[in-house]
Amino acid sequence: MKTVIKYELTINKAIRSALSYGTPDEQLNEFIGYLGRHIGADRIYIFEDCWEKNITRNTYEWCAEGVNPEIDNLQSVPMELIGWWYDLFEQEKNVIIEDMEDIKETHPDSYELLSGQNIHRLVVAPFRYENEISGFFGVDNPPDTDSIGLTLFLDMMSTLIISMIKIRDTHNKTNRMARFMGYAAFAQIYMFIHYINVQTHRYEVIKNADNGFEDTTDDRFEIHIKKLLKNCCANEYLSKELAFADIDTVEERLDGRASIVSEFYGTAFGWCRGRFIPVDYDNDGRLLHVIYCIESIDEQKERENSLLSMAQTDLMTGIYNRGHGESLIEQSLHNKVKGMMCIIDCDEFKSINDTYGHLVGDDVIIAIAHTLQNVCRKNDIIMRLGGDEFAMYFPGVTEKKNANEIFERIFKRTEKLNIKALGDRRITLSLGACFYDGIADISYDSLYCKADEAMYKSKKQGGFCATIYEP
């Protein structure tokens, strides 16, 4: 979770920094430059594909100080040199090379191309337009950190980069009709596209998705968009989106920006994103025309939620992993949420592994996790610390009577566990607990140590013993 938040903050700051520049090319260069400086990589780059010529071109590149630029040498890279990348992209996977020597034998052409640029490791992700791969962006020699976290970061950037590229393409058109046709080319991305005169509020419909909404004869955008959003926007988001679509304030909100966006949940299309894009200005420098468009981002949201869930979940048991569980408990302590911390350990688990094998040991861990999960209330926090050890935080539980009731439920449910491979052998737990009064400042580590000390006292007793920490 911390990794996700860190990357979200970095991307948001990169966007703000990029929008301080005037042209899309400058914005794209600043965007990847900001990310490169804050990630600590050697290079960040964007390649755009030309399928007609079967080549890919390096169109944007940032290099750290002392790193040789490669952009001039990579303007016509044959796609077959990295054909296996595209195979992974088609499987909705990213390219992760932890050590360049790993591909020396399997992909010698790619190895020669990459190692010649002094690349030792890299992570690359595709971006798509009209459901087709249209290029990729990547990071050369990133810090030796979690590659899954970095791929999550790149996936978060995908839609943003393709949007910036399309805004650049539109910006490069030389007249209104060319711009109009350029936005019409977005028809595969956007469900609704409107071309609006900000000063007169008159509009033209470039695309209107067929979702049961009947086009009206209203020639003022504010009347049209109110009917459109009432038809396709969930009620809880309606007032926010109507405020976003206010054409009277759009010039002020777009000031110096390449676009502004707002996300909402749609009744017909799931998650959607509305976007205003400036088109041109009058002789006095006042905003004249904008594009307002709506795209479906439901698949992107689903993918982001899936990646976020993977980052937060212990893959074996399905409960929170240590990193995410700790962050939730730390947040509770920071907010002075009183409660009880428990550390739970399976008795003689090593003996189970040694006697019955690791697969049976895994079954035991999963069964305990599900048992603890069934004891939890909605706001309780449960995580696997690792091995056979678990931690739980029960908000609002600060008295021994309530604590003992929880211990009894945990032990009784565990007594009923029946794992065939264990035969008559039964699973027992040792538990240590510590109260937090919601008043004093206390760290997660301090609370954990107290509950862990109590758990080891229970261990000495053996067999469904619970101890509450006493100073």
Side-chain angles (χ1 to χ4, degrees), residues 110-128:
S110 299
Y111 174 82
E112 183 176 351
L113 174 69
L114 299 169
S115 59
Q117 303 170 47
N118 200 30
I119 300 172
H120 310 297
R121 60 191 299 265
L122 60 76
V123 177
V124 179
F127 54 83
R128 291 174 170 81

Side-chain angles (χ1 to χ4, degrees), residues 108-376:
D109 292 339
S110 299
Y111 174 82
E112 183 176 351
L113 174 69
L114 299 169
S115 59
Q117 303 170 47
N118 200 30
I119 300 172
H120 310 297
R121 60 191 299 265
L122 60 76
V123 177
V124 179
F127 54 83
R128 291 174 170 81
Y129 176 55
E130 296 185 352
N131 296 322
E132 297 290 339
I133 295 168
S134 56
F136 56 85
F137 53 100
V139 181
D140 285 349
N141 301 331
D144 190 15
T145 54
D146 179 17
S147 294
I148 293 178
L150 188 53
T151 59
L152 171 62
F153 174 57
L154 295 182
D155 284 334
M156 291 164 67
M157 290 168 53
S158 178
T159 302
L160 183 60
I161 283 187
I162 191 64
S163 295
M164 293 177 77
I165 287 173
K166 294 310 166 188
I167 290 169
R168 175 210 63 191
D169 292 344
T170 301
H171 180 82
N172 292 337
K173 303 296 183 180
T174 57
N175 54 56
R176 176 189 175 282
M177 185 54 69
R179 290 192 186 98
F180 188 92
M181 295 304 294
Y183 288 116
F186 286 4
Q188 295 302 313
I189 291 181
Y190 296 109
M191 302 177 296
F192 301 92
I193 308 176
H194 302 79
Y195 183 81
I196 309 153
N197 186 313
V198 176
Q199 298 176 11
T200 66
H201 293 206
R202 301 294 190 265
Y203 71 96
E204 299 174 62
V205 175
I206 300 174
K207 182 181 179 184
N208 180 48
D210 181 16
N211 72 325
F213 173 70
E214 293 184 5
D215 232 347
T216 72
T217 57
D218 298 314
D219 60 358
R220 292 183 66 82
F221 178 72
E222 59 267 32
I223 299 173
H224 169 80
I225 198 62
K226 187 174 183 179
K227 292 179 179 179
L228 172 62
L229 289 174
K230 278 187 174 181
N231 185 72
C232 70
C233 180
N235 286 335
E236 59 268 33
Y237 292 91
L238 182 58
S239 60
K240 179 177 77 74
E241 286 313 300
L242 287 173
F244 176 75
D246 183 1
I247 206 69
D248 286 322
T249 63
V250 72
E251 181 174 13
E252 180 182 354
R253 289 181 286 139
L254 272 170
D255 184 30
R257 296 178 171 86
S259 69
I260 54 174
V261 298
S262 178
E263 294 181 1
F264 64 91
Y265 191 79
T267 53
F269 301 102
W271 280 102
C272 299
R273 179 184 291 125
R275 183 187 299 274
F276 276 110
I277 304 169
V279 176
D280 56 12
Y281 297 81
D282 64 17
N283 293 333
D284 297 323
R286 294 288 308 280
L287 183 63
L288 184 57
H289 293 100
V290 295
I291 291 289
Y292 173 75
C293 42
I294 299 174
E295 64 179 308
S296 171
I297 56 170
D298 209 46
E299 289 186 7
Q300 175 194 335
K301 282 283 187 181
E302 191 174 320
R303 186 164 59 250
E304 288 175 359
N305 290 338
S306 175
L307 289 167
L308 185 59
S309 178
M310 288 174 60
Q312 296 174 347
T313 303
D314 175 64
L315 297 181
M316 180 187 293
T317 62
I319 63 176
Y320 290 139
N321 58 26
R322 183 169 194 155
H324 187 57
E326 284 185 8
S327 70
L328 291 177
I329 296 175
E330 284 173 351
Q331 185 177 341
S332 295
L333 299 178
H334 176 75
N335 294 331
K336 299 291 173 54
V337 177
K338 62 184 178 181
M340 178 178 68
M341 173 88 161
C342 292
I343 304 296
I344 300 151
D345 190 88
C346 178
D347 296 332
E348 299 181 355
F349 181 73
K350 184 177 184 302
S351 171
I352 293 174
N353 262 344
D354 292 345
T355 305
Y356 301 96
H358 288 278
L359 291 178
V360 176
D362 290 349
D363 289 341
V364 170
I365 290 172
I366 294 168
I368 293 172
H370 291 173
T371 297
L372 298 177
Q373 198 170 28
N374 289 333
V375 171
C376 284

